[in-house]
Amino acid sequence: MSTEQPTPLWTPDPDRAAASRLSAFQKFAAERHGSPRAADLPPRAAYAALHRWSVERTEDFWRAVTEWFDVRFTTPPTAVLGSTAMPSAQWFPGATLNYAEHVLRHGEDASTADTPAIVHVAEGTATPSSITWLELRRQVGSLAAKLRAMGVRPGDRVAAYVPNIPQAVVALLATAAVGAVWASCAPDSGVRSVLDRFQQIEPVVLFTVDGCRYGGKEHDRRAVVAELCAQLPSVRHVVHIPLLGSTAPQRAHEWEALTAAHVEPVFEQLPFDHPLWVLYSSGTTGLPKAIVHSHGGITIEHLKQAGLHLDLGPGDRFYWYTSTGWMMWNYLLAGLLVGASVVTHDGSPRYPAADAQWRVAADTGATVFGTSAAYVMACRRAGVRPGRDLGLAGLRTVGTTGSPLPPDGFQWIYDEIGSDVWLVSMSGGTDVCGSFVGGVPTLPVHLGEIQAPNLGVAVESWSPDGRPVVDEVGELVVTRPTPSMPLYFWNDPDGRRYHDSYFDMFPGVWRHGDWITHTCRGSVVIHGRSDSTLNRQGVRMGSSDIYEVVERLPQIEESLVIGLEQPDGGYWMPLFVVLAPGATLDDDLRGAVTAALRTELSPRHVPDEIIAVPAVPHTLTGKRIEVPIKRILAGARVDQAVNPASLDRPEALHFFEQYRRTRRQGRT
């Protein structure tokens, strides 16, 4: 990779960079904790110095974070790190606090109490609604008192089968105030998928909706809820949220009755490592991993990420399109931690038109808007032009995650949203409920590159033999602990599943399972999952590089590439494509795909076959399932390769199974 400095797509105005919360924090950390000063250093060197200090002087950095964001420890910690070993690092031993208290303290101030904490957009409604900080605090206080009256105690589990609505936020915060442990699934999930998650944790309370509106239709979920209640014997109380207007089932509690009282919230003071919520991995094989995060770890990690890496604070409106089954919903609530208003959106991401998410951003006055890389690319293919057609003048930041954003996606943002928008492409995971690499408000944005590693995250690119590499593709590893790494997995008493998930390849070092390149300039490129690596003639290739080129062709909506080692020592690399309406996979299109890959990447990137498929299946969080498809093509049965309940289009699997049979018959 060339060391020549490329021309950035965007460079922050010096006054804007100087006014960022990151710049203020760096000055504070220098004065109080001896971090490098930014003065007299160019922006890239200043951030690099701060990042290096944040990972080499871990305790000083995280102490500075807690002071800067005024983290309220009811009982002070005896240290920042009691143990630095991974996976058993001990953060802030002896400290007590409560996540919900840190969110709702913004409702204590009379100057902000009547400003919106939540702005809500429901599909089919003409105008957004809102809940003030004062009202949010009141509802949480009322619900928390009712939960205690039901017998809910610290450590009990509370589950929710709800969409992205304000009631979900209230329920989570009330659960956290009591010290119970939260878990949620979106109502587009089927019974088996939900049970695979909730049966693991045995909840005592279940929040439910009667249905939802999605894609212009009403979807009744009462039969699903009844089945969930029948299959979850641990549930003692069911709470009914009537989104479609139905009455509560017999013995269920009505939402309005539980949130009507004027009660100040009482916050259980909990150890720093007390469980806050359980998030679930995609679970493409076996049961989903039930990942447990802590009150303290999430509080300080999300304060850092929202406040410093997204530059969020009071006066902002933060919208990220997500469902309650994706970690980005929990991440959205980081906006509340720093005093911003959050925008919740219950509805289809592309209804009534492809620009639906941009319309929500415009209607709510979002200043920071986040979405998936896949949605950005879909907007590009659909010819959407939000910057021209919608009122987005107040939008200063656009975030993307979920999969690597191709360079064409970067360019589309600056062509069609605005030349002065800050694009924050970031990458992390459910595992840490956040990002390892992402945005830095003082640095430029370059085409196809994530700006830098996050503060406090010792992220490196390693070769297979454990050597750090620069300007080369390597494994994404984290060499030092971070506060939001999982406490443990639920029902993993000896920690074996946790260990095998991250620490099996490099003992004592977190291996995340992504291919990453650290550039000599300090930026980062994510190439896709390393467990679905393409490896031809000893050269490793990221699948996302191929997708970026192939999906630029207007005839192709989506693609999936697989690499399979053959019994004779050969290597077979098929490319499956979903065609755009009216397109045909003929010799001309095959030639166009081949020429584009050969020219823009290399001859090694050209597939052995190109096959049209009706659909590409994804996890419920939108990720292409390369590894399970590879297993099916290698001979595994569908039920051995993947849990169909974890997918959005499980019926699409049968094409790949049939294709394998047909291909084998053709060879015999």
Short mmCIF file of all heavy atoms in Angstrom, two decimals, residues 513-544:
data_model
loop_
_atom_site.label_atom_id
_atom_site.label_comp_id
_atom_site.label_asym_id
_atom_site.label_seq_id
_atom_site.Cartn_x
_atom_site.Cartn_y
_atom_site.Cartn_z
N GLY A 513 -12.04 -12.08 14.76
CA GLY A 513 -12.58 -12.80 13.62
C GLY A 513 -12.81 -11.95 12.40
O GLY A 513 -13.56 -12.33 11.50
N ASP A 514 -12.19 -10.75 12.36
CA ASP A 514 -12.25 -9.89 11.18
C ASP A 514 -10.86 -9.74 10.58
O ASP A 514 -9.85 -9.75 11.31
CB ASP A 514 -12.75 -8.48 11.54
CG ASP A 514 -14.26 -8.42 11.70
OD1 ASP A 514 -14.95 -9.33 11.22
OD2 ASP A 514 -14.74 -7.45 12.31
N TRP A 515 -10.81 -9.55 9.24
CA TRP A 515 -9.57 -9.13 8.60
C TRP A 515 -9.48 -7.61 8.65
O TRP A 515 -10.45 -6.91 8.37
CB TRP A 515 -9.54 -9.57 7.14
CG TRP A 515 -9.34 -11.04 6.90
CD1 TRP A 515 -10.11 -11.84 6.12
CD2 TRP A 515 -8.28 -11.86 7.40
NE1 TRP A 515 -9.61 -13.12 6.11
CE2 TRP A 515 -8.49 -13.16 6.90
CE3 TRP A 515 -7.19 -11.63 8.24
CZ2 TRP A 515 -7.65 -14.23 7.19
CZ3 TRP A 515 -6.35 -12.70 8.54
CH2 TRP A 515 -6.57 -13.97 8.02
N ILE A 516 -8.31 -7.11 8.98
CA ILE A 516 -8.12 -5.67 9.14
C ILE A 516 -6.77 -5.27 8.56
O ILE A 516 -5.80 -6.05 8.61
CB ILE A 516 -8.20 -5.27 10.64
CG1 ILE A 516 -8.06 -3.76 10.84
CG2 ILE A 516 -7.14 -6.01 11.46
CD1 ILE A 516 -8.26 -3.33 12.30
N THR A 517 -6.71 -4.08 8.00
CA THR A 517 -5.44 -3.48 7.60
C THR A 517 -5.26 -2.18 8.37
O THR A 517 -6.14 -1.32 8.34
CB THR A 517 -5.39 -3.18 6.10
OG1 THR A 517 -5.45 -4.41 5.37
CG2 THR A 517 -4.10 -2.45 5.73
N HIS A 518 -4.14 -2.05 9.05
CA HIS A 518 -3.72 -0.78 9.64
C HIS A 518 -2.84 -0.08 8.60
O HIS A 518 -1.81 -0.62 8.20
CB HIS A 518 -2.90 -1.00 10.91
CG HIS A 518 -3.71 -1.02 12.16
ND1 HIS A 518 -4.09 0.11 12.82
CD2 HIS A 518 -4.23 -2.05 12.85
CE1 HIS A 518 -4.80 -0.22 13.89
NE2 HIS A 518 -4.90 -1.53 13.92
N THR A 519 -3.24 1.08 8.17
CA THR A 519 -2.40 1.80 7.22
C THR A 519 -1.30 2.54 7.95
O THR A 519 -1.39 2.80 9.15
CB THR A 519 -3.21 2.80 6.39
OG1 THR A 519 -3.51 3.96 7.19
CG2 THR A 519 -4.51 2.19 5.88
N CYS A 520 -0.26 2.88 7.21
CA CYS A 520 0.85 3.62 7.81
C CYS A 520 0.42 5.03 8.24
O CYS A 520 1.13 5.70 8.99
CB CYS A 520 2.03 3.69 6.83
SG CYS A 520 1.62 4.49 5.27
N ARG A 521 -0.75 5.47 7.77
CA ARG A 521 -1.27 6.78 8.17
C ARG A 521 -2.07 6.71 9.46
O ARG A 521 -2.51 7.74 9.97
CB ARG A 521 -2.16 7.35 7.06
CG ARG A 521 -1.44 7.58 5.74
CD ARG A 521 -2.37 8.19 4.70
NE ARG A 521 -3.57 7.39 4.49
CZ ARG A 521 -3.63 6.32 3.70
NH1 ARG A 521 -2.54 5.92 3.06
NH2 ARG A 521 -4.75 5.66 3.55
N GLY A 522 -2.33 5.49 9.96
CA GLY A 522 -3.08 5.35 11.20
C GLY A 522 -4.55 5.02 10.99
O GLY A 522 -5.26 4.79 11.97
N SER A 523 -5.01 5.02 9.74
CA SER A 523 -6.40 4.66 9.48
C SER A 523 -6.53 3.14 9.39
O SER A 523 -5.54 2.40 9.49
CB SER A 523 -6.88 5.33 8.19
OG SER A 523 -6.08 4.94 7.09
N VAL A 524 -7.76 2.67 9.16
CA VAL A 524 -8.06 1.24 9.24
C VAL A 524 -8.99 0.86 8.09
O VAL A 524 -9.88 1.62 7.71
CB VAL A 524 -8.73 0.92 10.59
CG1 VAL A 524 -9.32 -0.48 10.60
CG2 VAL A 524 -7.75 1.08 11.73
N VAL A 525 -8.79 -0.34 7.55
CA VAL A 525 -9.71 -0.91 6.57
C VAL A 525 -10.13 -2.29 7.08
O VAL A 525 -9.28 -3.10 7.46
CB VAL A 525 -9.06 -1.04 5.18
CG1 VAL A 525 -10.04 -1.69 4.20
CG2 VAL A 525 -8.59 0.31 4.66
N ILE A 526 -11.45 -2.54 7.11
CA ILE A 526 -11.98 -3.85 7.49
C ILE A 526 -12.34 -4.59 6.21
O ILE A 526 -13.02 -4.06 5.33
CB ILE A 526 -13.22 -3.70 8.39
CG1 ILE A 526 -12.86 -2.94 9.67
CG2 ILE A 526 -13.80 -5.07 8.72
CD1 ILE A 526 -11.97 -3.67 10.62
N HIS A 527 -11.91 -5.86 6.12
CA HIS A 527 -12.09 -6.63 4.89
C HIS A 527 -13.13 -7.73 5.00
O HIS A 527 -13.31 -8.49 4.06
CB HIS A 527 -10.76 -7.27 4.47
CG HIS A 527 -9.66 -6.29 4.27
ND1 HIS A 527 -9.50 -5.56 3.11
CD2 HIS A 527 -8.65 -5.87 5.10
CE1 HIS A 527 -8.45 -4.76 3.21
NE2 HIS A 527 -7.92 -4.94 4.41
N GLY A 528 -13.78 -7.86 6.13
CA GLY A 528 -14.76 -8.93 6.30
C GLY A 528 -14.28 -9.97 7.30
O GLY A 528 -13.23 -9.83 7.92
N ARG A 529 -15.07 -11.02 7.46
CA ARG A 529 -14.80 -12.02 8.47
C ARG A 529 -13.63 -12.91 8.08
O ARG A 529 -13.56 -13.43 6.95
CB ARG A 529 -16.04 -12.89 8.68
CG ARG A 529 -17.22 -12.14 9.24
CD ARG A 529 -16.96 -11.61 10.63
NE ARG A 529 -16.81 -12.68 11.60
CZ ARG A 529 -16.46 -12.47 12.88
NH1 ARG A 529 -16.18 -11.26 13.30
NH2 ARG A 529 -16.36 -13.48 13.70
N SER A 530 -12.73 -13.13 9.02
CA SER A 530 -11.56 -13.97 8.73
C SER A 530 -11.91 -15.45 8.74
O SER A 530 -11.18 -16.26 8.17
CB SER A 530 -10.45 -13.70 9.76
OG SER A 530 -10.88 -14.00 11.07
N ASP A 531 -13.04 -15.82 9.36
CA ASP A 531 -13.40 -17.24 9.35
C ASP A 531 -14.07 -17.64 8.04
O ASP A 531 -14.45 -18.79 7.86
CB ASP A 531 -14.28 -17.61 10.55
CG ASP A 531 -15.47 -16.67 10.72
OD1 ASP A 531 -15.72 -15.85 9.80
OD2 ASP A 531 -16.14 -16.76 11.76
N SER A 532 -14.24 -16.70 7.12
CA SER A 532 -14.74 -17.03 5.79
C SER A 532 -13.74 -16.56 4.73
O SER A 532 -14.09 -16.14 3.65
CB SER A 532 -16.10 -16.37 5.54
OG SER A 532 -16.03 -14.97 5.72
N THR A 533 -12.47 -16.67 5.10
CA THR A 533 -11.40 -16.16 4.26
C THR A 533 -11.35 -16.83 2.89
O THR A 533 -11.54 -18.03 2.78
CB THR A 533 -10.04 -16.40 4.96
OG1 THR A 533 -10.12 -15.87 6.26
CG2 THR A 533 -8.92 -15.73 4.20
N LEU A 534 -11.06 -16.04 1.89
CA LEU A 534 -10.73 -16.56 0.57
C LEU A 534 -9.21 -16.65 0.49
O LEU A 534 -8.50 -15.71 0.82
CB LEU A 534 -11.27 -15.64 -0.52
CG LEU A 534 -12.77 -15.35 -0.44
CD1 LEU A 534 -13.15 -14.26 -1.43
CD2 LEU A 534 -13.57 -16.61 -0.70
N ASN A 535 -8.72 -17.81 0.05
CA ASN A 535 -7.27 -18.01 0.05
C ASN A 535 -6.88 -18.77 -1.21
O ASN A 535 -7.03 -19.98 -1.30
CB ASN A 535 -6.85 -18.80 1.31
CG ASN A 535 -5.34 -18.85 1.46
OD1 ASN A 535 -4.59 -18.76 0.49
ND2 ASN A 535 -4.90 -19.03 2.69
N ARG A 536 -6.40 -18.04 -2.19
CA ARG A 536 -5.99 -18.64 -3.46
C ARG A 536 -4.49 -18.52 -3.62
O ARG A 536 -3.93 -17.42 -3.52
CB ARG A 536 -6.68 -17.93 -4.62
CG ARG A 536 -8.00 -18.58 -5.02
CD ARG A 536 -8.55 -17.88 -6.24
NE ARG A 536 -9.55 -18.69 -6.92
CZ ARG A 536 -10.23 -18.27 -7.97
NH1 ARG A 536 -10.01 -17.06 -8.45
NH2 ARG A 536 -11.10 -19.04 -8.55
N GLN A 537 -3.86 -19.65 -3.84
CA GLN A 537 -2.41 -19.68 -4.07
C GLN A 537 -1.66 -18.98 -2.94
O GLN A 537 -0.68 -18.29 -3.16
CB GLN A 537 -2.08 -19.03 -5.42
CG GLN A 537 -2.74 -19.73 -6.59
CD GLN A 537 -2.69 -18.92 -7.87
OE1 GLN A 537 -2.14 -17.82 -7.90
NE2 GLN A 537 -3.25 -19.48 -8.93
N GLY A 538 -2.18 -19.17 -1.72
CA GLY A 538 -1.52 -18.61 -0.55
C GLY A 538 -1.79 -17.15 -0.31
O GLY A 538 -1.27 -16.58 0.65
N VAL A 539 -2.64 -16.52 -1.13
CA VAL A 539 -2.96 -15.11 -0.96
C VAL A 539 -4.35 -14.99 -0.34
O VAL A 539 -5.34 -15.48 -0.90
CB VAL A 539 -2.91 -14.37 -2.32
CG1 VAL A 539 -3.33 -12.90 -2.14
CG2 VAL A 539 -1.53 -14.46 -2.92
N ARG A 540 -4.44 -14.33 0.81
CA ARG A 540 -5.71 -14.15 1.48
C ARG A 540 -6.44 -12.94 0.91
O ARG A 540 -5.85 -11.89 0.68
CB ARG A 540 -5.50 -13.98 2.98
CG ARG A 540 -4.89 -15.19 3.66
CD ARG A 540 -4.58 -14.93 5.10
NE ARG A 540 -3.64 -13.83 5.28
CZ ARG A 540 -3.22 -13.39 6.44
NH1 ARG A 540 -3.65 -13.95 7.54
NH2 ARG A 540 -2.36 -12.41 6.53
N MET A 541 -7.76 -13.11 0.74
CA MET A 541 -8.56 -12.03 0.17
C MET A 541 -9.83 -11.87 1.01
O MET A 541 -10.42 -12.86 1.45
CB MET A 541 -8.94 -12.36 -1.27
CG MET A 541 -7.75 -12.59 -2.19
SD MET A 541 -8.23 -13.04 -3.87
CE MET A 541 -8.95 -14.66 -3.60
N GLY A 542 -10.26 -10.64 1.19
CA GLY A 542 -11.49 -10.37 1.91
C GLY A 542 -12.69 -10.41 0.98
O GLY A 542 -12.65 -9.86 -0.12
N SER A 543 -13.77 -11.05 1.42
CA SER A 543 -14.96 -11.15 0.57
C SER A 543 -15.58 -9.78 0.30
O SER A 543 -16.15 -9.55 -0.77
CB SER A 543 -15.99 -12.07 1.22
OG SER A 543 -16.33 -11.61 2.52
N SER A 544 -15.47 -8.86 1.26
CA SER A 544 -16.10 -7.55 1.07
C SER A 544 -15.47 -6.79 -0.09
O SER A 544 -16.14 -5.97 -0.73
CB SER A 544 -16.00 -6.72 2.35
OG SER A 544 -14.66 -6.41 2.66
#
